[in-house]
């Protein structure tokens, strides 16, 4: 029994497998045209088209190449061009016109059903909330197989209201 454990320990120590880290979060965009690239270990500044007071999100592929980013109102591709159907996203802005103040108002998650698609989640900005309008969580689908691999916001899956965040009692 003791020799079996020793053999397993030695085998475990001598078998080496290469492990690759996921790099989907290596590049961040935020603020007024700012971006940081963490691919080299130390942050390196790059310019983006993102203008946001607070909430913003970006995602890269497994190799760390930027795919797209958003401030909750607009979705830009890796080159900084607005994606087709990427304007008029209803989130993170007063009356959906400008970057507002919703600190965690934008998020991106890869679809488990379709590897080329991502969900962009947006929340309404604080400035938009009032007793008649309690705020919503919305989502839009970004399909990276469209627009020659640069991505497109799927028009039929844009600004879908998921649920009210607060309900008047």
């Amino acid at each position: 029994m003791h020799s079996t454990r020793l053999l397993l320990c030695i085998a475990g120590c001598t078998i080496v497998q290469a492990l690759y880290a996921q790099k989907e979060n290596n590049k961040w965009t935020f603020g007024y045209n700012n971006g940081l690239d963490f691919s080299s270990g130390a942050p390196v500044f790059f310019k983006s088209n993102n203008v946001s007071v607070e909430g913003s999100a970006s995602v890269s592929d497994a190799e760390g190449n930027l795919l797209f980013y958003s401030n909750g109102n607009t979705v830009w591709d890796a080159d900084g061009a607005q994606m087709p159907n990427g304007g008029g996203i209803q989130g993170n802005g007063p009356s959906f016109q400008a970057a507002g103040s919703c600190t965690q108002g934008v998020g991106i998650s890869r679809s488990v059903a379709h590897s080329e698609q991502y969900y962009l989640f947006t929340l309404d900005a604080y400035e938009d909330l009032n007793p008649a309008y309690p705020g919503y969580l919305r989502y839009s689908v970004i399909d990276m197989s469209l627009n020659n691999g640069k991505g497109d916001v799927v028009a039929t899956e844009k600004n879908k209201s998921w649920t009210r965040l607060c309900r008047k009692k």
Side-chain angles (χ1 to χ4, degrees):
M1 180 81 141
H2 184 65
S3 62
T4 304
R5 286 186 190 167
L6 180 60
L7 182 61
L8 287 174
C9 183
I10 292 170
C13 291
T14 58
I15 297 172
V16 178
Q17 291 182 338
L19 298 176
Y20 298 96
Q22 300 293 322
K23 299 177 182 177
E24 283 91 353
N25 298 311
N26 275 17
K27 295 186 180 170
W28 299 0
T29 65
F30 55 91
Y32 291 90
N33 305 111
N34 295 310
L36 288 176
D37 182 351
F38 292 91
S39 298
S40 66
V44 176
F45 174 81
F46 69 92
K47 186 174 170 95
S48 76
N49 286 333
N50 192 353
V51 176
S52 59
V53 175
E54 292 176 322
S56 61
S58 56
V59 67
S60 299
D61 62 18
E63 287 77 40
N65 301 306
L66 184 64
L67 294 176
F68 66 92
Y69 54 97
S70 177
N71 64 357
N73 305 115
T74 304
V75 181
W76 294 276
D77 67 20
D79 297 330
Q82 182 176 307
M83 276 189 183
N85 301 307
I89 303 293
Q90 295 179 343
N92 201 33
S95 303
F96 319 123
Q97 299 300 313
S101 62
C102 190
T103 55
Q104 297 179 7
V106 186
I108 299 169
S109 180
R110 184 181 221 166
S111 171
V112 294
H114 305 285
S115 64
E116 295 282 334
Q117 292 184 347
Y118 291 81
Y119 288 97
L120 175 71
F121 295 98
T122 59
L123 293 173
D124 290 324
Y126 176 76
E127 295 89 341
D128 278 345
L129 305 181
N130 63 60
Y133 185 80
Y136 289 89
L137 168 65
R138 293 185 178 83
Y139 72 91
S140 299
V141 175
I142 289 88
D143 191 333
M144 293 306 297
S145 69
L146 301 175
N147 191 26
N148 297 317
K150 292 186 177 192
D152 187 345
V153 179
V154 180
T156 58
E157 295 295 319
K158 180 177 173 181
N159 295 322
K160 296 286 193 173
S161 289
W162 196 343
T163 184
R164 283 183 181 233
L165 299 177
C166 306
R167 295 187 189 267
K168 187 175 177 182
K169 296 183 181 191

